Amino acid sequence: MEVRDSRRLTGPNVLWARPGAILDVALEEGAAESAVEAWRREARRALDAIGWHGEDLAWRVFPGGVSLALSAPVDALYAATEVNEWAWEAAAAALAGGPAPDRAALDAAAERLRATIAAERNPALIALREAARRRGVTFLSDGERASVGTGTGSTTWPVDALPAPDEVDWAAVRDVPIALVTGTNGKTTTVRLLAAVAAAAGRTAGVSTTDWIRVGSELVEEGDYAGPGGARTVLRDRRVEIAFLETARGGMLRRGLAVERADVACVTNVAKDHLGEWGVADVAALADAKFVVGRAAERLVLNADDPIVRERGPGAGRPVTWFSLEPRGRETRPLLAAGDTACAYDGSSLRLFAGYDTILEIPVDRIPIALGGAARHNVANALAAIGVARAVHLPAAAIAEGLAGFESTPEGNPGRLNVFDVGGVRVVVDFAHNPHGVEALFEMAAALPAERRLVLLGQAGDRDNESIRELARIAWQARPDRIVVKEMRKYLRGRAEGEVPDLLLSELRAAGAPPEALDRADSELQAARQAFEWSRPGDLLLLISHSNREGIVNLIERLRETGWRPGKFLPDRGPAPV
């Protein structure tokens, strides 16, 4: 029995919609039931001893362990982690055959915990939170700041200098429309499409993604901000008139959602990725994590083509706008017909339906990122964006204009289907990082004319061996003419150098790839150089980039600036590879 993590839950999460504290405990097979029972007993004793009689317990068993959570006041969550840790220590001692804490030990622990709670408590925070709830507006807090309202209707204070509720100008406090976008793939592009639609409507959008925070055209911060911290930054910016928040599974599992209420949430898809982290051992558990957004959203926009999303959607207890690339499918057609709104692709146009009426039709040729329909995953992303935009009442004309004006460039949508022509060679730079994303990329590639096709292949070391081998099998199923397997030192994540490339190459050979179709590079940038050295006019290079996207794009720009053609020498190597 080993505690793997102890943390706060600050918002709606995979267990419930309450704040609290959670422990992840590794257990031997068959030990979960007795561990939960022992912890429940000791946690209830601890809660009663400190006076938290109204707080509840929740737990989630997963292969190899269990998550144990107790609810707590939002202004005492650090203390709550100590309460939970003490309860587990007592439970672990009992499970090991030792005696339960006697009355004196319990009283001493309770006195210490009550002192910790008293030092953390902030009655002004609780009063402000309750006042905001009574008025139906958003309340946000973290270790440093608290706020009421969102965007242009927000006001923020330091947590140690909060006003009394009757000192707040509540007439000026309001919420802007909020959309949450989650899924295994496509969420970043969908959020950026929505920002383009908002701009076409003359609205200032606040956007948080895995690459940055933007408000309107201004880059606020670079980095991965797809968690609750990025969401709070956007929602407290008084320039923001509408918010589109990429909501990654990691943030929901670690902390929960930043908000208790959103106008709409979109689930683009659910596919195998990041399994084994935060107690998510299978795709069903991953779906539980993705659908946390349904705890906050008033409406859901869901992918009817995804079997897991299709199964979960009807039971989510929210109105649903379904979207589909296969609207006449046996499973999808009833869903689209049952909803009050739906989005579908008919092979030539994207359509938004209200009941039986078509209220928006956009030819696929007018949406640059769709590549004339070849990039079906981006057609799906555009459909998702249409559904979300409709839910936050953006006008149809702005939806059409925004989608038509959005191009997947390295500046506007870095690493997401960035397409270049380099000396007669078509080059695609993409971030595809899991089997589902790679399959979508290969499906797109198969629809594009090409003399030969090459792909860069690599994977982060935190995936298990079978997931890495599956990626190799999927790559070879597409039958590219050449695969360059790359080392990514930046993402070794506990593995030895060469271990992941060895796994990929071994599985590629086992799948039938001949030696002349395989190459190996000691860095991502070197892999790209080898791809260009191999290329001929008319080829398609799929440069799947994870660790050095900027270096690859810079190489492409140097090649274009110098008029490089296949067969010519490449320019100098530039920065050190990673």
mmCIF file of all heavy atoms in Angstrom, residues 456-457 483-489 498 501 505 518-531 577-578:
data_model
loop_
_atom_site.group_PDB
_atom_site.id
_atom_site.type_symbol
_atom_site.label_atom_id
_atom_site.label_comp_id
_atom_site.label_asym_id
_atom_site.label_seq_id
_atom_site.Cartn_x
_atom_site.Cartn_y
_atom_site.Cartn_z
ATOM 1 N N LEU A 456 7.266 10.748 -40.268
ATOM 2 C CA LEU A 456 8.118 10.713 -39.078
ATOM 3 C C LEU A 456 7.318 10.067 -37.962
ATOM 4 O O LEU A 456 6.158 10.412 -37.749
ATOM 5 C CB LEU A 456 8.533 12.113 -38.634
ATOM 6 C CG LEU A 456 9.284 13.013 -39.601
ATOM 7 C CD1 LEU A 456 9.873 14.202 -38.832
ATOM 8 C CD2 LEU A 456 10.371 12.273 -40.328
ATOM 9 N N LEU A 457 7.939 9.173 -37.218
ATOM 10 C CA LEU A 457 7.222 8.439 -36.176
ATOM 11 C C LEU A 457 8.029 8.453 -34.891
ATOM 12 O O LEU A 457 9.223 8.155 -34.890
ATOM 13 C CB LEU A 457 6.968 6.999 -36.624
ATOM 14 C CG LEU A 457 5.958 6.202 -35.807
ATOM 15 C CD1 LEU A 457 4.569 6.795 -35.959
ATOM 16 C CD2 LEU A 457 5.955 4.737 -36.256
ATOM 17 N N ILE A 483 9.342 5.315 -43.480
ATOM 18 C CA ILE A 483 9.076 5.744 -42.106
ATOM 19 C C ILE A 483 10.413 6.069 -41.465
ATOM 20 O O ILE A 483 11.330 5.234 -41.451
ATOM 21 C CB ILE A 483 8.368 4.653 -41.287
ATOM 22 C CG1 ILE A 483 6.997 4.322 -41.908
ATOM 23 C CG2 ILE A 483 8.183 5.106 -39.844
ATOM 24 C CD1 ILE A 483 6.266 3.199 -41.195
ATOM 25 N N VAL A 484 10.537 7.282 -40.950
ATOM 26 C CA VAL A 484 11.732 7.683 -40.209
ATOM 27 C C VAL A 484 11.356 7.682 -38.727
ATOM 28 O O VAL A 484 10.516 8.469 -38.290
ATOM 29 C CB VAL A 484 12.236 9.074 -40.637
ATOM 30 C CG1 VAL A 484 13.517 9.416 -39.870
ATOM 31 C CG2 VAL A 484 12.481 9.118 -42.133
ATOM 32 N N VAL A 485 11.971 6.794 -37.971
ATOM 33 C CA VAL A 485 11.704 6.691 -36.539
ATOM 34 C C VAL A 485 12.665 7.615 -35.799
ATOM 35 O O VAL A 485 13.889 7.535 -35.998
ATOM 36 C CB VAL A 485 11.854 5.236 -36.061
ATOM 37 C CG1 VAL A 485 11.714 5.155 -34.546
ATOM 38 C CG2 VAL A 485 10.820 4.345 -36.749
ATOM 39 N N LYS A 486 12.142 8.466 -34.968
ATOM 40 C CA LYS A 486 12.930 9.534 -34.347
ATOM 41 C C LYS A 486 13.090 9.313 -32.847
ATOM 42 O O LYS A 486 12.200 8.807 -32.174
ATOM 43 C CB LYS A 486 12.253 10.881 -34.599
ATOM 44 C CG LYS A 486 10.843 10.952 -34.041
ATOM 45 C CD LYS A 486 10.133 12.245 -34.381
ATOM 46 C CE LYS A 486 8.723 12.233 -33.803
ATOM 47 N NZ LYS A 486 7.998 13.505 -33.995
ATOM 48 N N GLU A 487 14.224 9.706 -32.351
ATOM 49 C CA GLU A 487 14.458 9.788 -30.903
ATOM 50 C C GLU A 487 13.954 11.139 -30.420
ATOM 51 O O GLU A 487 14.096 12.152 -31.120
ATOM 52 C CB GLU A 487 15.945 9.655 -30.602
ATOM 53 C CG GLU A 487 16.309 9.768 -29.120
ATOM 54 C CD GLU A 487 15.870 8.553 -28.332
ATOM 55 O OE1 GLU A 487 14.725 8.576 -27.843
ATOM 56 O OE2 GLU A 487 16.655 7.601 -28.209
ATOM 57 N N MET A 488 13.349 11.174 -29.227
ATOM 58 C CA MET A 488 12.890 12.432 -28.640
ATOM 59 C C MET A 488 13.396 12.507 -27.199
ATOM 60 O O MET A 488 12.715 12.073 -26.264
ATOM 61 C CB MET A 488 11.366 12.535 -28.696
ATOM 62 C CG MET A 488 10.796 12.555 -30.093
ATOM 63 S SD MET A 488 9.049 13.019 -30.143
ATOM 64 C CE MET A 488 8.306 11.666 -29.212
ATOM 65 N N ARG A 489 14.599 13.031 -27.025
ATOM 66 C CA ARG A 489 15.188 13.084 -25.692
ATOM 67 C C ARG A 489 14.364 13.915 -24.722
ATOM 68 O O ARG A 489 14.361 13.678 -23.516
ATOM 69 C CB ARG A 489 16.616 13.631 -25.782
ATOM 70 C CG ARG A 489 17.573 12.718 -26.536
ATOM 71 C CD ARG A 489 18.970 13.295 -26.632
ATOM 72 N NE ARG A 489 19.856 12.416 -27.394
ATOM 73 C CZ ARG A 489 19.939 12.421 -28.716
ATOM 74 N NH1 ARG A 489 19.199 13.279 -29.419
ATOM 75 N NH2 ARG A 489 20.759 11.595 -29.337
ATOM 76 N N GLY A 498 16.958 5.518 -26.960
ATOM 77 C CA GLY A 498 16.884 4.433 -27.923
ATOM 78 C C GLY A 498 15.816 3.403 -27.635
ATOM 79 O O GLY A 498 15.470 2.605 -28.520
ATOM 80 N N PRO A 501 12.462 4.181 -29.867
ATOM 81 C CA PRO A 501 12.708 3.844 -31.277
ATOM 82 C C PRO A 501 12.899 2.351 -31.514
ATOM 83 O O PRO A 501 12.441 1.821 -32.538
ATOM 84 C CB PRO A 501 13.980 4.645 -31.607
ATOM 85 C CG PRO A 501 13.928 5.818 -30.686
ATOM 86 C CD PRO A 501 13.349 5.269 -29.420
ATOM 87 N N LEU A 505 10.627 0.280 -34.173
ATOM 88 C CA LEU A 505 11.247 -0.417 -35.302
ATOM 89 C C LEU A 505 10.996 -1.919 -35.232
ATOM 90 O O LEU A 505 10.734 -2.567 -36.257
ATOM 91 C CB LEU A 505 12.744 -0.123 -35.336
ATOM 92 C CG LEU A 505 13.113 1.291 -35.801
ATOM 93 C CD1 LEU A 505 14.558 1.607 -35.457
ATOM 94 C CD2 LEU A 505 12.877 1.433 -37.314
ATOM 95 N N LEU A 518 12.527 1.711 -43.883
ATOM 96 C CA LEU A 518 12.738 2.215 -42.530
ATOM 97 C C LEU A 518 14.035 3.000 -42.424
ATOM 98 O O LEU A 518 15.036 2.665 -43.050
ATOM 99 C CB LEU A 518 12.759 1.050 -41.533
ATOM 100 C CG LEU A 518 11.502 0.168 -41.490
ATOM 101 C CD1 LEU A 518 11.697 -0.972 -40.508
ATOM 102 C CD2 LEU A 518 10.263 0.992 -41.132
ATOM 103 N N ASP A 519 13.977 4.049 -41.624
ATOM 104 C CA ASP A 519 15.157 4.856 -41.329
ATOM 105 C C ASP A 519 15.075 5.258 -39.867
ATOM 106 O O ASP A 519 14.018 5.169 -39.237
ATOM 107 C CB ASP A 519 15.189 6.085 -42.247
ATOM 108 C CG ASP A 519 16.587 6.698 -42.351
ATOM 109 O OD1 ASP A 519 17.508 6.194 -41.679
ATOM 110 O OD2 ASP A 519 16.739 7.686 -43.094
ATOM 111 N N ARG A 520 16.182 5.734 -39.336
ATOM 112 C CA ARG A 520 16.238 6.107 -37.922
ATOM 113 C C ARG A 520 17.017 7.400 -37.788
ATOM 114 O O ARG A 520 17.997 7.624 -38.510
ATOM 115 C CB ARG A 520 16.897 4.997 -37.109
ATOM 116 C CG ARG A 520 16.940 5.253 -35.611
ATOM 117 C CD ARG A 520 17.368 3.994 -34.883
ATOM 118 N NE ARG A 520 17.326 4.150 -33.439
ATOM 119 C CZ ARG A 520 17.251 3.136 -32.587
ATOM 120 N NH1 ARG A 520 17.213 1.889 -33.041
ATOM 121 N NH2 ARG A 520 17.212 3.356 -31.289
ATOM 122 N N ALA A 521 16.564 8.266 -36.874
ATOM 123 C CA ALA A 521 17.236 9.548 -36.644
ATOM 124 C C ALA A 521 17.389 9.772 -35.150
ATOM 125 O O ALA A 521 16.531 9.360 -34.361
ATOM 126 C CB ALA A 521 16.434 10.689 -37.268
ATOM 127 N N ASP A 522 18.481 10.454 -34.768
ATOM 128 C CA ASP A 522 18.733 10.654 -33.338
ATOM 129 C C ASP A 522 18.060 11.898 -32.788
ATOM 130 O O ASP A 522 18.239 12.235 -31.624
ATOM 131 C CB ASP A 522 20.241 10.674 -33.051
ATOM 132 C CG ASP A 522 20.932 11.866 -33.695
ATOM 133 O OD1 ASP A 522 20.258 12.687 -34.354
ATOM 134 O OD2 ASP A 522 22.170 11.985 -33.536
ATOM 135 N N SER A 523 17.256 12.605 -33.601
ATOM 136 C CA SER A 523 16.493 13.746 -33.121
ATOM 137 C C SER A 523 15.365 14.017 -34.103
ATOM 138 O O SER A 523 15.376 13.532 -35.249
ATOM 139 C CB SER A 523 17.362 14.999 -32.998
ATOM 140 O OG SER A 523 17.665 15.530 -34.275
ATOM 141 N N GLU A 524 14.401 14.801 -33.666
ATOM 142 C CA GLU A 524 13.278 15.127 -34.538
ATOM 143 C C GLU A 524 13.716 15.987 -35.717
ATOM 144 O O GLU A 524 13.279 15.776 -36.852
ATOM 145 C CB GLU A 524 12.203 15.850 -33.717
ATOM 146 C CG GLU A 524 10.887 16.009 -34.423
ATOM 147 C CD GLU A 524 9.778 16.401 -33.465
ATOM 148 O OE1 GLU A 524 9.120 15.499 -32.897
ATOM 149 O OE2 GLU A 524 9.566 17.611 -33.284
ATOM 150 N N LEU A 525 14.599 16.949 -35.463
ATOM 151 C CA LEU A 525 15.059 17.814 -36.545
ATOM 152 C C LEU A 525 15.887 17.021 -37.556
ATOM 153 O O LEU A 525 15.759 17.217 -38.774
ATOM 154 C CB LEU A 525 15.871 18.977 -35.984
ATOM 155 C CG LEU A 525 16.280 20.051 -36.992
ATOM 156 C CD1 LEU A 525 15.068 20.645 -37.690
ATOM 157 C CD2 LEU A 525 17.083 21.149 -36.293
ATOM 158 N N GLN A 526 16.724 16.112 -37.071
ATOM 159 C CA GLN A 526 17.496 15.282 -37.994
ATOM 160 C C GLN A 526 16.570 14.390 -38.819
ATOM 161 O O GLN A 526 16.799 14.159 -40.004
ATOM 162 C CB GLN A 526 18.500 14.422 -37.223
ATOM 163 C CG GLN A 526 19.335 13.503 -38.102
ATOM 164 C CD GLN A 526 20.122 14.261 -39.173
ATOM 165 O OE1 GLN A 526 20.576 15.377 -38.951
ATOM 166 N NE2 GLN A 526 20.271 13.648 -40.346
ATOM 167 N N ALA A 527 15.485 13.912 -38.204
ATOM 168 C CA ALA A 527 14.513 13.104 -38.940
ATOM 169 C C ALA A 527 13.888 13.904 -40.078
ATOM 170 O O ALA A 527 13.700 13.392 -41.185
ATOM 171 C CB ALA A 527 13.432 12.603 -37.989
ATOM 172 N N ALA A 528 13.583 15.174 -39.813
ATOM 173 C CA ALA A 528 13.019 16.028 -40.868
ATOM 174 C C ALA A 528 14.025 16.235 -41.991
ATOM 175 O O ALA A 528 13.678 16.209 -43.182
ATOM 176 C CB ALA A 528 12.587 17.371 -40.267
ATOM 177 N N ARG A 529 15.282 16.434 -41.643
ATOM 178 C CA ARG A 529 16.312 16.605 -42.669
ATOM 179 C C ARG A 529 16.426 15.347 -43.529
ATOM 180 O O ARG A 529 16.539 15.416 -44.756
ATOM 181 C CB ARG A 529 17.653 16.944 -42.016
ATOM 182 C CG ARG A 529 17.666 18.305 -41.309
ATOM 183 C CD ARG A 529 19.016 18.555 -40.633
ATOM 184 N NE ARG A 529 20.085 18.685 -41.625
ATOM 185 C CZ ARG A 529 20.420 19.823 -42.219
ATOM 186 N NH1 ARG A 529 19.774 20.945 -41.932
ATOM 187 N NH2 ARG A 529 21.399 19.854 -43.099
ATOM 188 N N GLN A 530 16.379 14.189 -42.894
ATOM 189 C CA GLN A 530 16.450 12.937 -43.658
ATOM 190 C C GLN A 530 15.241 12.796 -44.578
ATOM 191 O O GLN A 530 15.351 12.262 -45.684
ATOM 192 C CB GLN A 530 16.551 11.750 -42.700
ATOM 193 C CG GLN A 530 17.889 11.684 -41.981
ATOM 194 C CD GLN A 530 17.969 10.656 -40.875
ATOM 195 O OE1 GLN A 530 18.731 10.788 -39.938
ATOM 196 N NE2 GLN A 530 17.168 9.613 -40.966
ATOM 197 N N ALA A 531 14.084 13.299 -44.114
ATOM 198 C CA ALA A 531 12.887 13.243 -44.954
ATOM 199 C C ALA A 531 13.080 14.078 -46.220
ATOM 200 O O ALA A 531 12.759 13.630 -47.334
ATOM 201 C CB ALA A 531 11.676 13.740 -44.169
ATOM 202 N N PRO A 577 19.792 19.755 -32.109
ATOM 203 C CA PRO A 577 18.550 18.972 -32.167
ATOM 204 C C PRO A 577 18.076 18.584 -30.776
ATOM 205 O O PRO A 577 18.853 18.532 -29.815
ATOM 206 C CB PRO A 577 18.963 17.741 -32.981
ATOM 207 C CG PRO A 577 20.428 17.592 -32.744
ATOM 208 C CD PRO A 577 20.954 19.000 -32.602
ATOM 209 N N VAL A 578 16.758 18.310 -30.693
ATOM 210 C CA VAL A 578 16.173 17.795 -29.456
ATOM 211 C C VAL A 578 15.271 16.625 -29.791
ATOM 212 O O VAL A 578 14.881 16.450 -30.922
ATOM 213 C CB VAL A 578 15.360 18.875 -28.711
ATOM 214 C CG1 VAL A 578 16.273 19.953 -28.206
ATOM 215 C CG2 VAL A 578 14.249 19.444 -29.586
#
